[in-house]
Amino acid sequence: VLRSSFPQGIVTMVSPAKKIDLLQINHLLVGHVIIVDDNGKEIDAVQKAFPQVTAYWMRRPNGKYRNEEPMTSHQTIKSLNEITL
């Protein structure tokens, strides 16, 4: 994902794979890690394994997971523009 408002040096990754699997396989926990997902269960899995990760729940009005809010710490957003670094 290219997003011009992210500062230079921010690495972004888009994948249909589960975020928890990407974090475990790629050892991406260097520096400040942010995940964005519309599936609350995915956010819960990441937060339980990696509580230092900042999570954003992308609540899409017509999304498949719109009523599955995460139980763990997160911020709710409707757009990537709402992410604060």
Side-chain angles (χ1 to χ4, degrees):
V1 169
L2 297 176
R3 184 169 174 259
S4 61
S5 62
F6 284 155
Q8 186 174 11
I10 298 294
V11 176
T12 59
M13 181 184 316
V14 177
S15 173
K18 293 183 177 184
K19 274 63 169 184
I20 187 79
D21 294 340
L22 292 174
L23 290 169
Q24 289 173 336
I25 292 169
N26 293 306
H27 307 287
L28 294 174
L29 295 176
V30 176
H32 187 176
V33 176
I34 296 171
I35 65 158
V36 178
D37 206 308
D38 63 342
N39 184 340
K41 291 178 184 178
E42 290 261 348
I43 291 174
D44 288 340
V46 169
Q47 288 285 295
K48 287 177 184 169
F50 304 104
Q52 70 275 29
V53 170
T54 302
Y56 288 88
W57 180 43
M58 177 76 79
R59 186 156 193 213
R60 297 183 173 135
N62 297 317
K64 181 177 178 180
Y65 306 106
R66 68 183 170 273
N67 295 318
E68 295 183 24
E69 185 170 356
M71 303 302 290
T72 54
S73 176
H74 69 280
Q75 296 180 47
T76 302
I77 60 173
K78 293 179 184 175
S79 164
L80 291 177
N81 292 327
E82 297 176 61
I83 295 174
T84 55
L85 302 176

